[in-house]
Amino acid sequence: SKAINLLLQGKVRMAVTARDFKHAELQNLKDRKQFPISVRIGYDGLALIQNTANTDSCISVKDIKKILTGEVTHWNQIYPGSDKGEITVAFDNRRSSTVHYVEDSILGGKPITSPNVFAVNKTADVVTYVEKHKGAIGIIGSNWLNDQRDSTNLTFRKEVRPMAVSKLAVANV
């Protein structure tokens, strides 16, 4: 966001970002007779992580949306009988591409409105937060899942566990 804002303000001529222009940003540049070119140079995936004590390991996109809008705030609203309490969701940074992607793709361009969703300063802080809070979900780049001690990148970090995400209305594995 900062890089694109600098471009929109005319303070830089080129920006390398983790997302493409939003419609309004692109229109702003075109209105000023500037015609930017976007080139994708890489992809990453998102991962939802949870505390290792949380046994509710699969969640639906529909339920994620309900959490992000504040319609669902406790685990037992999704999984009756769950004792994990309140759901909190941590992002790496409130202006990150992760937040933008979730707002665009899951919430249809609308902002996150749940008071249980917040941002820390960096991805490592998301992992630490989830590790310490049994009801937390962290949303991070999937590259952060791998245990750095494993050069084959086949082992997940031990501190947290990835969640399976289902496109079905009711999540099951």
Side-chain angles (χ1 to χ4, degrees):
S1 291
K2 286 181 182 179
I4 289 178
N5 284 334
L6 290 171
L7 190 67
L8 292 171
Q9 295 166 11
K11 294 182 178 180
V12 297
R13 294 180 46 88
M14 182 177 87
V16 178
T17 69
R19 67 172 179 87
D20 203 348
F21 293 102
K22 292 183 177 183
H23 177 73
E25 295 165 342
L26 190 57
Q27 191 60 49
N28 176 299
L29 291 168
K30 286 180 179 179
D31 290 347
R32 296 184 338 209
K33 307 291 186 231
Q34 296 177 5
F35 303 95
I37 298 171
S38 295
V39 179
R40 290 186 178 162
I41 57 173
Y43 290 91
D44 190 11
L46 288 186
L48 273 65
I49 58 172
Q50 65 183 2
N51 185 285
T52 56
N54 193 339
T55 57
D56 301 322
S57 62
C58 186
I59 192 165
S60 72
V61 174
K62 182 179 175 182
D63 287 334
I64 295 167
K65 184 175 182 176
K66 288 179 180 179
I67 292 167
L68 295 172
T69 60
E71 185 180 339
V72 167
T73 58
H74 289 78
W75 284 102
N76 63 8
Q77 291 174 278
I78 299 172
Y79 305 104
S82 175
D83 65 349
K84 300 304 178 261
E86 186 174 53
I87 301 171
T88 55
V89 179
F91 282 93
D92 56 344
N93 182 301
R94 66 183 181 94
R95 292 187 174 164
S96 73
S97 60
T98 305
V99 171
H100 285 291
Y101 182 82
V102 166
E103 288 177 337
D104 290 345
S105 299
I106 297 175
L107 299 178
K110 296 177 183 166
I112 297 168
T113 55
S114 173
N116 291 6
V117 177
F118 66 96
V120 291
N121 293 316
K122 57 188 178 191
T123 304
D125 295 340
V126 175
V127 174
T128 300
Y129 179 83
V130 171
E131 181 183 10
K132 293 179 181 179
H133 297 87
K134 69 179 182 178
I137 296 174
I139 302 180
I140 60 174
S142 61
N143 59 312
W144 279 84
L145 284 179
N146 295 334
D147 185 334
Q148 294 178 350
R149 296 169 293 189
D150 177 10
S151 62
T152 65
N153 284 333
L154 297 174
T155 308
F156 290 131
R157 296 176 70 112
K158 303 288 187 251
E159 303 89 4
V160 295
R161 184 172 39 164
M163 293 187 81
V165 178
S166 172
K167 65 180 178 180
L168 302 174
V170 177
N172 59 25
V173 181

